Amino acid sequence: MRLSRRTASVSVAVALVLTLAYEAVPHARVPADDERERAAPFGAACRIRVDDSRVTAYCHNPYPETDRVSLHVECARWWDIDTDSSPVEAGPAQTVRLKGRCWKEVGDAWVSHRKAS
């Protein structure tokens, strides 16, 4: 009877080790569609240059999805009109130039991104 208890103990120990080893191995998981969209790299890299009252942005899109970029310029003076450019499509491996300006000093400038539909 001792031999059968030992055999049972060894069998349980082997089963436990195999179960723990199986749990430690990462499993392949297929992400849902919305997770794939979030995980996919997107967005043009933009450089913004301000010269006095003029703003120029160069945006290069290294990704396969088209990026619609817009330049937003906020002027420093309260009476100066802030501007938003029309969206420009930056296709894959394409560089686009966006321009804007204020009458006097520029307070802030940034580029917004949106996926083309």
Side-chain angles (χ1 to χ4, degrees):
M1 190 148 192
R2 249 178 174 231
L3 186 58
S4 64
R5 278 190 187 171
R6 246 188 220 172
T7 306
S9 299
V10 170
S11 298
V12 170
V14 169
L16 181 61
V17 167
L18 290 176
T19 304
L20 292 175
Y22 178 76
E23 290 298 321
V25 175
H27 302 287
R29 187 174 75 83
V30 178
D33 288 339
D34 60 333
E35 288 179 8
R36 276 189 217 133
E37 286 181 14
R38 276 188 268 140
F42 171 78
C46 298
R47 292 177 296 134
I48 299 173
R49 182 175 176 173
V50 177
D51 291 317
D52 297 324
S53 63
R54 299 181 194 286
V55 180
T56 306
Y58 292 95
C59 296
H60 176 74
N61 183 11
Y63 302 113
E65 301 253 350
T66 301
D67 185 6
R68 296 183 65 162
V69 291
S70 295
L71 176 64
H72 308 278
V73 179
E74 188 175 285
C75 301
R77 309 282 178 136
W78 66 267
W79 47 263
D80 209 343
I81 299 172
D82 299 339
T83 58
D84 300 315
S85 74
S86 298
V88 176
E89 290 192 355
Q94 185 179 18
T95 301
V96 296
R97 181 176 65 187
L98 305 166
K99 292 178 135 189
R101 65 167 302 191
C102 294
W103 284 102
K104 290 283 186 176
E105 301 87 16
V106 173
D108 199 8
W110 67 94
V111 175
S112 64
H113 303 265
R114 178 172 288 166
K115 286 188 176 184
S117 42

